[in-house]
Amino acid sequence: MQMDRETLIAKVKAAGVIGAGGAGFPTHVKLAGKVDTIIVNGAECEPLMAVDVQLMEGEAQLLAEALAQVVQALNATMGIIALKAKHKAAVRYLEGAFQGRDGLHLHLLEDFYPAGDEPILVYEVMGRVVPAGGIPLAVHCLVINVETLRNIARACQDRPVMTSCLTVAGAVQRPLTMEVPVGTPISVLLDVAGGTTTPDYRVIEGGPMTGHLIPQEAVASGKAAVKKTTKGLIVLPSHHGLLRQPTLSLGAILQRAQSACCQCRLCTDLCPRYLLGHDIYPNLILNRVNHGQTADLAAITQAFLCSDCGVCELYACPVDLSPRRMYQAIKSELIRQGVTNPHQQGATPRATWVGRHIPTSHLIARLGLEEYNQPAPWVRLEFSPRQVFIALQQHIGVPAEPLVKIGDRVVLGQVIGMPPPDKLGASIHASLSGRVLEVTQEAVVIAGE
């Protein structure tokens, strides 16, 4: 179906499409930029994650059609799906789906982390360097991930985003990948995976490198639920080494840095954004904060350049220090004070760029995840949870404002939340037919019929 840009944007906005991973940037805003190349991010560089690869294997034809439609609507010159060469089945299916479609191409990546970081992906695929502090649109590239492209295809058929595809892996009886209603309690999905292999466990939402630790009480109560951006749930024993950093206070991190940081520079020399040519030096941020040298804005605002990839704290540092946590704290404080990112200059990749790629196999070993590096096959489920907890803030921007009240009956796909007019945000839809049990500033709770 031929479609112009305005129609595509309107349909994507109405469907509530956001980036299906990461921060969840509203996709209709991305589609408004002037671009010549659409890059679909199928790198799937986080260990244990399997969603994008399995979507590319199972829905290659749909993805090819959707990419062709986006390229045409945005008047771009080409569309590229970038994925790792090791995923041979996905490559084969996509090559077949691309036959006879001018302007669509595959780009095969090496197996390294973080190949899926947008500026790194753009450089690997196009040889273009996104300016420090900038986004791919600055070099006329639009990057969307595989599930986002799938949701765009559904939006063109007037189907809103009501589900999310995710992998459940780690210390569970049956690792698997599945599509579930947005708002499904995470505790339900652990049961679907056969339960945990240990009674004392914690759950990371997202990948092991960039995900966040879910409070155990939220999992137990059922209030921790799937969002549009949820791509994985990693279950680990509470004593696992990967859980040490998230549980440390900022004060403890500083104390450890004061006593243990020897300025070896490994955190900087392996930082992907530093290697891309950005002026970010993780080893120096620990040193500056330790010595109270926080008045130099040029140095402190490096925090805006941190991509939160986790390489510094989870792979590079030999004594488990955390420049990333420091950057996160500094960035939050700068934003609170109204300081904006002054680093917008161009960059030139450093000569060590290729030689310091981090092989995924090395990363898995460093994280202590070898025993959990198991296949997580796609399982097609026909189930509806008893109730869903649908967050009103699942995206960058302002939360959606609820359009329903307690006692209302809603139907599958109904709009239940909208952002204020002229504000960055995304609409929220009912993922279950039933009655509204609760409406708060954070979520709408729906009980199934």
Side-chain angles (χ1 to χ4, degrees):
M1 182 173 63
Q2 297 293 306
M3 191 176 297
D4 59 32
R5 181 194 295 262
E6 289 72 25
T7 303
L8 177 64
I9 290 174
K11 285 182 173 289
V12 166
K13 183 177 182 179
V17 180
I18 63 174
F25 195 88
T27 303
H28 66 274
V29 178
K30 276 191 169 186
L31 296 176
K34 183 178 180 181
V35 299
D36 57 38
T37 305
I38 316 297
I39 301 175
V40 180
N41 186 351
E44 195 111 77
C45 60
E46 286 254 21
L48 309 189
M49 299 291 95
V51 168
D52 289 343
V53 171
Q54 297 194 45
L55 285 177
M56 288 185 288
E57 291 176 358
E59 303 193 27
Q61 193 66 39
L62 173 70
L63 295 173
E65 292 171 359
L67 181 55
Q69 189 167 59
V70 174
V71 168
Q72 175 266 320
L74 301 190
N75 198 29
T77 57
M78 62 177 156
I80 300 170
I81 294 183
L83 72 162
K84 293 180 178 179
K86 70 176 184 179
H87 300 304
K88 298 185 185 303
V91 171
R92 185 171 67 252
Y93 289 125
L94 288 170
E95 285 177 339
F98 278 12
Q99 284 185 0
R101 297 182 184 275
D102 294 337
L104 299 192
H105 309 278
L106 292 184
H107 182 93
L108 303 185
L109 301 162
E110 296 178 9
D111 188 15
F112 71 92
Y113 179 84
D117 178 70
E118 288 193 357
I120 291 172
L121 188 69
V122 170
Y123 182 63
E124 286 286 313
V125 174
M126 300 298 296
R128 302 176 188 176
V129 181
V130 176
I135 59 176
L137 290 176
V139 292
H140 308 298
C141 292
L142 170 65
V143 179
I144 54 178
N145 78 6
V146 173
E147 189 176 353
T148 303
L149 180 62
R150 180 182 189 247
N151 287 337
I152 290 174
R154 291 180 168 186
C156 291
Q157 301 170 347
D158 299 318
R159 297 170 60 187
V161 180
M162 300 175 290
T163 63
S164 184
C165 300
L166 56 89
T167 298
V168 181
V172 292
Q173 298 288 350
R174 185 172 63 130
L176 48 80
T177 302
M178 53 189 163
E179 182 175 10
V180 301
V182 170
T184 300
I186 286 170
S187 56
V188 171
L189 301 182
L190 300 185
D191 290 339
V192 172
T196 65
T197 58
T198 174
D200 187 16
Y201 66 89
R202 299 297 301 272
V203 181
I204 296 173
E205 181 180 353
M209 293 295 285
T210 62
H212 68 272
L213 197 59
I214 304 175
Q216 191 65 8
E217 59 272 17
V219 176
S221 68
K223 292 186 177 181
V226 171
K227 302 181 181 69
K228 296 178 186 180
T229 54
T230 304
K231 295 279 78 60
L233 300 172
I234 308 296
V235 181
L236 295 173
S238 295
H239 63 269
H240 194 278
L242 194 56
L243 304 178
R244 285 197 300 268
Q245 287 290 358
T247 57
L248 283 176
S249 69
L250 199 58
I253 288 172
L254 274 173
Q255 284 184 335
R256 292 179 62 187
Q258 287 174 338
S259 62
C261 181
C262 63
Q263 290 296 302
C264 70
R265 274 189 59 102
L266 279 175
C267 57
T268 294
D269 290 338
L270 291 175
C271 171
R273 292 294 178 88
Y274 168 81
L275 292 171
L276 202 55
H278 296 184
D279 288 328
I280 180 170
Y281 303 88
N283 65 301
L284 295 182
I285 199 65
L286 290 174
N287 194 47
R288 287 181 182 277
V289 173
N290 282 339
H291 292 87
Q293 299 171 354
T294 57
D296 184 356
L297 273 184
I300 295 301
T301 52
Q302 288 178 18
F304 286 113
L305 302 179
C306 176
S307 67
D308 201 31
C309 71
V311 165
C312 58
E313 70 176 23
L314 296 176
Y315 184 84
C317 184
V319 289
D320 293 331
L321 303 182
S322 182
R324 173 168 68 168
R325 288 282 302 278
M326 193 60 59
Y327 275 138
Q328 289 172 340
I330 291 171
K331 191 187 304 183
S332 295
E333 179 60 21
L334 290 173
I335 292 172
R336 189 189 69 80
Q337 295 181 16
V339 178
T340 57
N341 179 15
H343 303 278
Q344 302 290 337
Q345 68 275 20
T348 301
R350 290 178 164 85
T352 50
W353 166 253
V354 175
R356 289 179 179 163
H357 283 170
I358 298 172
T360 302
S361 59
H362 292 189
L363 182 63
I364 290 171
R366 178 76 169 88
L367 298 177
L369 295 176
E370 292 163 302
E371 67 176 298
Y372 303 119
N373 189 28
Q374 305 294 327
W378 187 279
V379 177
R380 298 196 179 277
L381 299 174
E382 295 293 338
F383 88 105
S384 292
R386 293 178 180 176
Q387 60 185 32
V388 290
F389 296 78
I390 303 178
L392 293 168
Q393 173 108 48
Q394 304 189 33
H395 47 265
I396 282 180
V398 300
E401 296 179 344
L403 302 178
V404 294
K405 61 183 184 300
I406 294 174
D408 285 353
R409 185 182 183 280
V410 296
V411 296
L412 183 69
Q414 178 181 330
V415 180
I416 60 173
M418 290 282 289
D422 302 321
K423 297 289 186 180
L424 180 66
S427 57
I428 307 293
H429 299 76
S431 59
L432 192 68
S433 294
R435 292 200 176 274
V436 177
L437 286 184
E438 186 178 355
V439 179
T440 68
Q441 292 182 332
E442 289 76 36
V444 173
V445 182
I446 302 171
E449 295 178 328

